[in-house]
Amino acid sequence: RQGFEDWAAKMVGLINDEDSLLACRKEFMLGPWIEDARKWGVTAEEKDLYEFNARALLTVWSFEDSSLRDYACREWSGLLTDFYLPRWERFIGHLRDQLNGRPASKPDYYVEIEKPWTEKKNKFPVAASGDAVQTAQKMYDKYKGLIAASAAE
């Protein structure tokens, strides 16, 4: 169980670290994508619709039974921590329940996380922050032992 918790924490930490690295470059940020979509609208209603469409395009794609979910598969700052991380945390919780012998039904990510996310109106940064090289160096220093251990196996 402790091994599970250790690896779960590493997974969550890695997602947060990757988000920080991606935030160093505007090209890898969710904020500009949503801001650009909203600019196409004239009325508040249109702006909200275009934001909804921009979010759905990146995540659920369709609101029908579709095999295109996660079709866009963007690893962008904001998207990782606001969309993918809660989904991973829900999955980890599901596994934790099973590991601890508690009844655990399979999470319905679409109902619990994915569709509600497309309807949100939360803001994301539109300007990059941080130095990509320094952030990458910090991540390398943090993960090089784990990488070396994995390569040795």
Side-chain angles (χ1 to χ4, degrees):
R1 287 191 176 108
Q2 187 57 51
F4 172 82
E5 295 300 335
D6 292 345
W7 283 103
K10 287 175 186 171
M11 178 69 176
V12 168
L14 182 61
I15 292 170
N16 284 310
D17 287 342
E18 183 181 2
D19 193 88
S20 296
L21 177 61
L22 293 167
C24 296
R25 299 289 307 196
K26 187 176 181 178
E27 299 90 338
F28 300 116
M29 296 174 61
L30 178 61
W33 172 262
I34 291 176
E35 182 181 76
D36 287 346
R38 292 189 67 82
K39 284 179 185 176
W40 284 98
V42 176
T43 66
E45 184 179 82
E46 281 182 340
K47 290 176 185 296
D48 288 349
L49 175 63
Y50 293 152
E51 177 175 351
F52 168 80
N53 286 333
R55 286 171 176 258
L57 180 64
L58 293 175
T59 56
V60 298
W61 184 262
S62 169
F63 293 101
E64 298 175 15
D65 187 18
S66 172
S67 61
L68 290 176
R69 291 173 62 215
D70 282 336
Y71 154 83
C73 194
R74 298 286 192 263
E75 292 189 20
W76 286 349
S77 178
L79 190 60
L80 284 177
T81 54
D82 201 59
F83 180 77
Y84 289 115
L85 181 58
R87 203 167 68 176
W88 273 107
E89 289 172 331
R90 182 73 175 96
F91 178 69
I92 290 167
H94 169 72
L95 295 178
R96 183 180 291 117
D97 286 346
Q98 288 183 325
L99 184 63
N100 291 320
R102 291 191 291 266
S105 60
K106 184 177 180 213
D108 186 343
Y109 301 109
Y110 177 76
V111 170
E112 297 172 20
I113 294 168
E114 296 169 349
K115 185 173 186 301
W117 187 85
T118 64
E119 298 165 344
K120 289 169 69 175
K121 299 287 182 285
N122 54 323
K123 304 291 182 203
F124 296 92
V126 294
S129 63
D131 180 274
V133 174
Q134 289 176 354
T135 303
Q137 184 63 54
K138 284 182 196 175
M139 287 178 64
Y140 174 77
D141 292 341
K142 180 177 179 178
Y143 292 104
K144 66 183 174 187
L146 183 60
I147 294 166
S150 295
E153 290 179 359

